[in-house]
Amino acid sequence: MNIRCEKVVGIDLGTTNSAVAAMEGGKPTIITNAEGGRTTPSVVAYTKTGDRLVGQIAKRQAVVNPENTFFSVKRFIGRKMEEVRDESKQVPYKLVEDGARNVKIRSSNTNKEFAPEEISAQVLRKLTADAAKFLNDKVEKAVITVPAYFNDSQRQATKDAGKIAGLEVLRIINEPTAASLAYGFDRKGNETILVFDLGGGTFDVSVLEVGDGVFEVLSTSGDTHLGGDDFDKRITDFLADDFQRTEGIDLRKDRQALQRLTEAAEKAKIELSALTQTSINLPFITATADGPKHIDTSLTRAKFEEMCSDLLRRCRVPVEQALKDAKLNVKDVQEIILVGGSTRIPAVQDIVRKISGRDPNVSVLAGEVSDIVLLDVTPLSLGLETLGGVMTRLIPRNTTLPTSKSEVFSTAADGQTSVEVNVLQGEREFARDNKSLGTFRLDGIPPAARGVPQVEVKFDIDANGILSVTATDKGTGKKQDIKITGASTLGKDDVERMVKEAEKFAGEDKKRREAVDTKNQAESLVYQTEKQLKEFDDKLPADVKASIEGKLTEVRDAVASDDAARMKSSMEALQQEVIKMGQAVYGQPGAGGAPGVDGPSAGGPPGNDKGGDDVIDAEFSDRK
Amino acid sequence: MVVSFYEQLGVPESADLEQVRAAFRAAALRLHPDKSYGAAADEFVSLNKAWQVLRDPHLRKIHDQQLALHRIREPAVFQDEVTLDDMELTAVE
């Protein structure tokens, strides 16, 4: 059985950039977007007029619209405000806390607060729209990749983003596992590989065993707070500190200046991957009473590496942890695969070389996807809060998915009818240090003496790493209701409302785009017609000319009125007239030749011409 | 009741790691939820459990011991029902 009857796309929804791939003739192909790029910046912006921009055009205007240009939103998806205090200071847009202490993104231009899921959904919507255009087919199903180290809330939120974008998310796949596919397609035997994935905002390490089409993750580890953006920030701080020392102004307080600094920092970082020194020029970065101020400095690779030494050191930890969890020595690893833009940093490659003692493999997508299966693991232990605020582990990390575990709960007091269970994810001893996935409340327990009711709660983690919880009363065999509160994901109602809103906006967008297209067509038709009128001025009968000019005015008026329907009808009318013009010009034998000579012999054809005119006129009046 | 993980994976108890691995992989390609569309999720979960035990030399040894212990106990449990045929069989062995 196979479900390849419809187009399914694979989406790499990155912190900074996103990409889409689809199967074309049995081979994975990266889809180019409407702008012709293979990656699309994961950026959404709202302009002063309330227009929404997505991708490259949104990124381009970020400097002038820093408070309404949303990037690196992946860092906030499925998070509570308290989990992202540091990151929230690194972005020029405003984050606010909603009633449930979840992160909301504030857009001053639209006077709205968006869930990170909604912003990501906008990116997904653009990606799939471009993919649909590229594939010339409907795109409604997708597989989305997430960092392996994403917790349940982050996965669920990513899935919700897909739903808001109108997609059916068939599967959430871990990024390093997806990357291993590119490498391990044609491996027949058995190989152990380590994927080192340092992206824009997250760092993942996975150890896999690959062979016979089975990609089995042995362990995964990572750091959700480490990525290319952190390297950029080091350069930004270096520039800002330097400026503060010499000029006494903190550029980080000026959102526009900060945005320019961040962009320059990223550029410098990229350049330092190829060069040993780069220059940073930011004219008119700010102004004081003395006049405009500029940044003109240079940065060496050595200095950059020194600034980032602690970040580089942090890269070692997950590698060692992943190996330890897989019960392997680095010598047992046959291949190391580097994935993610930040692995282009020479110092990062050096770290990998130092850990492994060999050269890493920069993987290239190749081979044919046929009969394969991905066996992923859960990156974090799942547990419950028990007496004394301790976390009791239920499913240990690195357990192969899908998996399930049941636990029987009872009451602590006589006549108690509900039990609350705080579900946690993480490796720490105490509940408060771990991520709470929410409080699950079991209601409707029949009143009885304490300890008598027995409620079996089943925790299922599916192949996507997403948890679902079901409860049954062991006495009655009845399914128990579960209410979840305090989760950092959207409620079902919220998702549905957002789906509707997004659909509405998509409809409006489509209308607006059509209006713009019509306007462009109308303007170009006016221009072409005017040009032709001038060109064939001497060949056109006066009546034809007059009627064309009349219709031209109508189109111009329609364009000025911004009325799409009027533009369309007046354009059609003008086109009919233009055909007449063509006939008037080309209907004359030897059209375009020497007019003087052909003039007299044109006696016959004008009759035809006239006839043609009549027909068209009749047709035209018909339309009226 | 002791479940034989060898039986679950369909390999003899003498199978080496590579044989067990091959058996698991072949089954995973059939039974993983991505392949069976959820129909065999529970089956896959128990299959995977078997593989996790047999791939680990330490856990495999424990499982072998459990199976051995089970076999020693088994005849004892059914002693009342031993028939003449069985006795002959035992005698031959």
Side-chain angles (χ1 to χ4, degrees):
Chain A
M1 193 154 73
N2 224 328
I3 42 155
R4 233 173 262 152
C5 40
E6 278 168 86
K7 282 281 178 193
V8 178
V9 292
I11 302 177
D12 170 7
L13 183 61
T15 308
T16 41
N17 287 298
S18 297
V20 194
M23 297 301 293
E24 285 265 90
K27 286 216 160 75
T29 316
I30 301 277
I31 291 170
T32 49
N33 62 17
E35 292 82 32
R38 283 160 64 88
T39 60
T40 302
S42 311
V43 184
V44 175
Y46 290 87
T47 64
K48 276 203 186 78
T49 52
D51 281 337
R52 187 184 29 222
L53 308 173
V54 185
Q56 193 60 49
I57 58 167
K59 190 180 178 183
R60 212 181 291 140
Q61 53 85 69
V63 177
V64 293
N65 187 19
E67 290 184 30
N68 289 281
T69 305
F70 309 127
F71 57 89
S72 290
V73 168
K74 192 174 174 181
R75 294 188 156 212
F76 307 116
I77 202 160
R79 292 293 193 80
K80 293 259 183 215
M81 196 65 187
E82 71 210 30
E83 297 169 17
V84 290
R85 291 269 176 238
D86 286 345
E87 280 109 330
S88 67
K89 283 181 209 132
Q90 288 174 29
V91 294
Y93 50 88
K94 280 201 189 96
L95 295 173
V96 292
E97 202 169 325
D98 73 354
R101 296 193 293 141
N102 291 339
V103 180
K104 285 270 156 20
I105 297 163
R106 177 137 189 89
S107 156
S108 56
N109 280 346
T110 53
N111 200 23
K112 261 194 195 158
E113 281 167 16
F114 294 102
E117 285 93 327
E118 287 177 285
I119 302 293
S120 289
Q122 301 296 355
V123 177
L124 289 173
R125 208 170 259 277
K126 159 150 176 78
L127 294 173
T128 42
D130 287 356
K133 212 176 272 173
F134 181 92
L135 299 167
N136 200 17
D137 204 343
K138 261 193 199 162
V139 174
E140 286 165 345
K141 293 181 178 178
V143 170
I144 303 178
T145 62
V146 297
Y149 217 52
F150 255 23
N151 65 31
D152 174 77
S153 304
Q154 291 166 303
R155 285 166 197 271
Q156 185 60 53
T158 304
K159 210 175 168 188
D160 288 341
K163 204 169 168 198
I164 296 167
L167 286 170
E168 187 192 336
V169 181
L170 297 180
R171 191 84 147 70
I172 298 277
I173 295 181
N174 291 333
E175 283 159 11
T177 313
S180 76
L181 283 176
Y183 169 79
F185 275 142
D186 39 5
R187 307 286 145 164
K188 267 277 163 264
N190 191 43
E191 243 179 76
T192 309
I193 59 176
L194 185 145
V195 182
F196 186 103
D197 182 356
L198 189 60
T202 54
F203 177 41
D204 276 331
V205 176
S206 286
V207 177
L208 295 100
E209 228 171 52
V210 178
D212 306 322
V214 176
F215 293 72
E216 188 179 8
V217 180
L218 300 180
S219 66
T220 191
S221 187
D223 189 333
T224 44
H225 296 257
L226 181 62
D229 293 355
D230 297 298
F231 288 83
D232 298 350
K233 174 131 193 312
R234 288 297 153 86
I235 303 179
T236 309
D237 283 341
F238 163 76
L239 296 172
D241 289 342
D242 202 39
F243 194 81
Q244 195 163 15
R245 254 198 311 279
T246 54
E247 306 289 343
I249 300 168
D250 188 0
L251 291 173
R252 281 162 291 208
K253 295 219 168 85
D254 174 349
R255 286 179 181 251
Q256 197 160 324
L258 175 66
Q259 178 62 31
R260 284 183 66 195
L261 274 181
T262 308
E263 274 178 24
E266 188 195 355
K267 202 170 144 252
K269 175 191 74 179
I270 293 168
E271 282 171 0
L272 285 176
S273 290
L275 307 167
T276 51
Q277 180 164 351
T278 183
S279 59
I280 299 161
N281 287 299
L282 288 164
F284 303 99
I285 190 75
T286 190
T288 63
D290 308 336
K293 297 284 173 196
H294 320 291
I295 287 179
D296 183 5
T297 185
S298 65
L299 181 64
T300 63
R301 190 189 282 175
K303 175 77 187 154
F304 169 62
E305 288 174 5
E306 183 204 314
M307 290 188 297
C308 300
S309 59
D310 62 318
L311 297 177
L312 293 165
R313 258 199 312 277
R314 270 167 67 190
C315 289
R316 301 186 79 110
V317 183
V319 176
E320 282 154 9
Q321 186 64 53
L323 285 170
K324 197 177 151 211
D325 286 349
K327 298 187 193 103
L328 290 175
N329 191 293
V330 76
K331 285 192 247 28
D332 302 324
V333 176
Q334 269 109 37
E335 199 76 52
I336 296 189
I337 300 174
L338 294 186
V339 196
S342 306
T343 56
R344 287 189 210 133
I345 299 172
V348 171
Q349 297 184 357
D350 279 347
I351 284 277
V352 177
R353 238 174 253 126
K354 251 182 237 158
I355 302 171
S356 65
R358 76 166 70 87
D359 279 330
N361 181 319
V362 180
S363 76
V364 192
L365 205 65
E368 190 149 327
V369 193
S370 51
D371 210 16
I372 56 153
V373 67
L374 304 176
L375 303 179
D376 239 311
V377 296
T378 172
L380 300 158
S381 301
L382 184 87
L384 308 170
E385 179 172 349
T386 48
L387 219 58
V390 173
M391 165 157 162
T392 302
R393 216 159 286 181
L394 224 55
I395 298 173
R397 71 158 183 265
N398 293 322
T399 299
T400 304
L401 299 177
T403 188
S404 67
K405 180 94 183 183
S406 295
E407 189 81 1
V408 177
F409 291 90
S410 192
T411 50
D414 291 340
Q416 189 179 339
T417 55
S418 74
V419 173
E420 277 196 347
V421 189
N422 185 11
V423 181
L424 306 161
Q425 219 174 14
E427 310 309 320
R428 303 284 296 273
E429 201 68 33
F430 289 100
R432 61 162 188 275
D433 299 323
N434 292 304
K435 163 83 188 165
S436 168
L437 301 182
T439 300
F440 294 72
R441 207 175 79 189
L442 313 172
D443 281 323
I445 299 170
R450 71 187 159 131
V452 171
Q454 293 215 307
V455 183
E456 188 180 59
V457 181
K458 194 170 171 225
F459 299 87
D460 278 293
I461 305 181
D462 67 8
N464 303 315
I466 294 177
L467 171 77
S468 61
V469 183
T470 48
T472 17
D473 189 319
K474 279 188 99 175
T476 60
K478 224 178 78 189
K479 272 239 151 78
Q480 203 95 44
D481 285 341
I482 296 185
K483 282 207 187 88
I484 309 166
T485 51
S488 55
T489 48
L490 297 167
K492 233 186 188 170
D493 300 345
D494 287 328
V495 174
E496 258 150 46
R497 176 178 54 79
M498 287 170 187
V499 170
K500 281 202 193 95
E501 262 173 39
E503 273 166 7
K504 199 182 93 196
F505 286 134
E508 280 171 14
D509 274 2
K510 201 175 160 213
K511 245 185 238 159
R512 201 177 298 167
R513 199 165 40 239
E514 275 171 6
V516 170
D517 283 349
T518 314
K519 198 171 176 179
N520 282 341
Q521 275 172 21
E523 278 173 347
S524 118
L525 184 65
V526 167
Y527 171 74
Q528 289 294 337
T529 316
E530 279 171 344
K531 200 174 126 198
Q532 282 173 349
L533 270 183
K534 232 177 260 165
E535 214 170 303
F536 304 120
D537 192 39
D538 50 339
K539 284 189 203 164
L540 289 173
D543 60 325
V544 175
K545 223 161 93 181
S547 90
I548 288 180
E549 264 158 11
K551 299 285 179 250
L552 254 180
T553 318
E554 272 175 42
V555 178
R556 276 197 213 104
D557 288 349
V559 170
S561 75
D562 243 351
D563 182 340
R566 222 176 112 192
M567 276 187 248
K568 268 189 199 153
S569 65
S570 61
M571 255 160 64
E572 268 172 43
L574 177 60
Q575 260 155 357
Q576 298 294 343
E577 290 301 307
V578 170
I579 292 169
K580 254 187 279 178
M581 173 164 76
Q583 280 168 336
V585 175
Y586 294 107
Q588 295 168 11
V597 182
D598 284 334
S601 61
N608 284 341
D609 218 338
K610 260 262 163 309
D613 262 0
D614 287 344
V615 173
I616 290 167
D617 265 347
E619 201 179 295
F620 185 66
S621 50
D622 235 18
R623 291 180 148 273
K624 277 190 178 169
Chain B
M1 242 299 269
V2 174
V3 181
S4 164
F5 292 147
Y6 296 99
E7 269 173 38
Q8 274 190 341
L9 285 168
V11 290
E13 284 176 36
S14 57
D16 65 12
L17 185 62
E18 287 318 306
Q19 283 172 287
V20 179
R21 195 196 307 278
F24 169 71
R25 282 180 174 171
L29 283 168
R30 265 186 312 119
L31 298 173
H32 187 272
D34 282 353
K35 296 285 166 185
S36 67
Y37 305 98
D42 288 340
E43 205 177 329
F44 178 75
V45 170
S46 54
L47 190 84
N48 186 47
K49 196 176 153 201
W51 164 234
Q52 297 305 333
V53 170
L54 296 189
R55 77 182 307 171
D56 183 315
H58 177 66
L59 294 178
R60 182 171 172 172
K61 203 182 252 170
I62 294 174
H63 182 62
D64 286 346
Q65 284 167 352
Q66 276 177 330
L67 287 180
L69 207 65
H70 181 68
R71 266 181 220 119
I72 294 167
R73 281 196 197 132
E74 213 166 26
V77 172
F78 294 109
Q79 215 162 27
D80 295 346
E81 296 167 27
V82 166
T83 62
L84 195 66
D85 287 352
D86 285 330
M87 283 206 288
E88 273 175 350
L89 204 70
T90 318
V92 171
E93 269 179 4

